[in-house]
Amino acid sequence: MYQPLADRIRPKSLDDVVGQRQLLGEGGLLRRIIDSGNIPNMIFYGPSGIGKTTVASIIARQTSRKLYHLNATTASISDIKSIVDELDTFLAPNGALVYLDEIQYFNKKQQQSLLEFIEDGRITLVASTTENPYFYIYNAILSRCTVFEFLPVEAEEMVRAVERGFQIACEGRSITIAPETAEEIAHSCGGDVRKAMNAVELLVNSTADGETITPESAAQVAQRSNMRYDRDGDSHYDILSAFQKSIRGSDPDAGLHYLARLLEAGDMISAARRMLVIASEDIGLAYPQCAAIVKACVDSAFQLGLPEARIPLAQAVILMATAPKSNSAICAIDAAIADIRQNGPGDIPSSLKDCHYGGAKKLGRGQTYMYSHDYPNHWVKQQFLPDHLADHRYYEYGPNKTEQAARAYWEKTKGSQP
């Protein structure tokens, strides 16, 4: 029976696990827990192919528990109940460890139904998810589990697994592995051990005895597999967050890096939308023309299409990253919204209400309004906010040259009138 290389190479002990040194290395918290034999309910969070299932299998083996492997996309509560029915029998004499893969696909009712089984200790739950558990797993489960984050495997660690994969896959074959081939795969698989093993297996199966597997052929197999990206997953929002924070932090190189990742993943729309936000949120009134320039660059990008679209988008990123920064606009509107929610909107002053209809004068609408353009410097002192908010202020001038110039102008203008 065919067994994928990724399964054949699966480690049997913690020392053989590739990566996750922060959890499984000497003194790592998860390692200490496993070595103690007192296994709590746990959630393993991280991308696929980095050892979550492997570690669960090792836990079951080291604690002499029967491992039940379920996938939330196909499993149901009846499967959990069937496992409970086997407890205290010769089938599971030391208790059961239930590994529930992709727990985020269990709905709220299904997740809550697990509580009665994990609270009384009849089963030990180890759940895994590729999505942020604090977004997708309900609090009742989270509060009873310890969350461990698994990270993509570093290329230096991955080389070890790739070399071992070639050794196993080439048993009984006369195939030569050229230098740097393992490094090429290790750097191209995006930290995913399973993906690396699939590449190794494909290369070996497509190579005849007496031939050599080269880095060039490895690059063809890997292609763009190092781009770990899901438009609806955590990596999407993590990249966009890093993209905006890099520009806000005035680092053009990092901004271009994250733009390149978005474009390589084919997600120009998300990049463009975020850039339009950044122009007003982070550059704002320090360089008001920036919003118009970024909009022009985005429009040009969509008219051009990729690959040429990368040029105006890069221009906009560099412009924003090197421009002066101000968040006074977002702070001002957020303060206004918070004030309305806390204190209510209030009635609009009668002087500001619409008076362009018959009977408006009888209602006292617009009678005391003063037309600003009839006064020096096109300004006259009057109340615009509702009475109960009349003294509230939302906008604070930023320290940049543009806003300070505006501040000086209006202080001079408003101070010239009694």
Side-chain angles (χ1 to χ4, degrees), residues 46 111 146 336 411:
Q111 289 190 28
T146 303
E411 284 181 348

Side-chain angles (χ1 to χ4, degrees), residues 157-405:
E157 284 273 325
M158 186 72 73
V159 170
R160 193 159 52 94
V162 173
E163 290 174 344
R164 184 163 173 259
F166 272 125
Q167 182 180 0
I168 293 174
C170 291
E171 285 181 357
R173 304 282 305 277
S174 55
I175 294 175
T176 302
I177 311 299
E180 300 183 359
T181 301
E183 286 79 0
E184 175 65 37
I185 296 174
H187 282 88
S188 301
C189 62
D192 187 328
V193 179
R194 186 183 299 113
K195 189 176 291 184
M197 292 306 101
N198 290 342
V200 168
E201 188 170 24
L202 180 60
L203 285 167
V204 171
N205 290 343
S206 61
T207 302
D209 286 354
E211 293 183 345
T212 299
I213 298 177
T214 64
E216 291 73 24
S217 57
Q220 288 180 342
V221 169
Q223 296 179 355
R224 286 165 53 179
S225 63
N226 63 330
M227 294 299 298
R228 186 181 294 279
Y229 190 79
D230 178 355
R231 294 192 189 190
D232 296 320
D234 290 340
S235 59
H236 168 76
Y237 297 104
D238 287 344
I239 291 174
L240 288 176
S241 176
F243 182 46
Q244 180 164 3
K245 289 170 182 173
S246 297
I247 295 174
R248 179 185 296 152
S250 302
D251 189 332
D253 299 309
L256 290 169
H257 169 81
Y258 292 111
L259 173 64
R261 287 173 68 160
L262 290 163
L263 297 182
E264 280 294 282
D267 194 2
M268 186 169 74
I269 293 177
S270 293
R273 290 183 70 250
R274 187 56 64 102
M275 289 165 64
L276 293 172
V277 171
I278 295 169
S280 293
E281 180 180 346
D282 296 305
I283 288 80
L285 293 169
Y287 183 22
Q289 302 91 333
C290 184
I293 296 172
V294 172
K295 176 63 164 58
C297 289
V298 167
D299 289 344
S300 297
F302 281 106
Q303 288 180 338
L304 290 168
L306 289 170
E308 289 83 0
R310 75 191 189 283
I311 304 170
L313 293 180
Q315 176 186 345
V317 166
I318 296 170
L319 173 71
M320 290 191 292
T322 56
K325 306 296 189 296
S326 173
N327 68 337
S328 59
I330 185 175
C331 290
I333 186 59
D334 285 350
I337 291 172
D339 203 18
I340 290 172
R341 290 174 178 173
Q342 180 177 349
N343 299 305
D347 191 32
I348 297 172
S350 60
S351 62
L352 303 182
K353 291 181 179 178
D354 182 24
C355 59
H356 296 88
Y357 58 90
K361 287 186 177 181
K362 294 180 181 179
L363 296 174
R365 306 297 167 83
Q367 297 303 298
T368 60
Y369 173 65
M370 292 177 281
Y371 187 58
S372 298
H373 298 299
D374 288 340
Y375 296 85
N377 296 315
H378 304 268
W379 181 83
V380 62
K381 186 176 182 180
Q382 57 188 318
Q383 180 181 324
F384 294 97
L385 281 169
D387 288 342
H388 75 298
L389 302 176
D391 61 343
H392 289 212
R393 297 292 177 266
Y394 309 123
Y395 173 63
E396 297 289 342
Y397 290 97
N400 57 83
K401 181 179 179 180
T402 302
E403 290 182 86
Q404 286 301 306

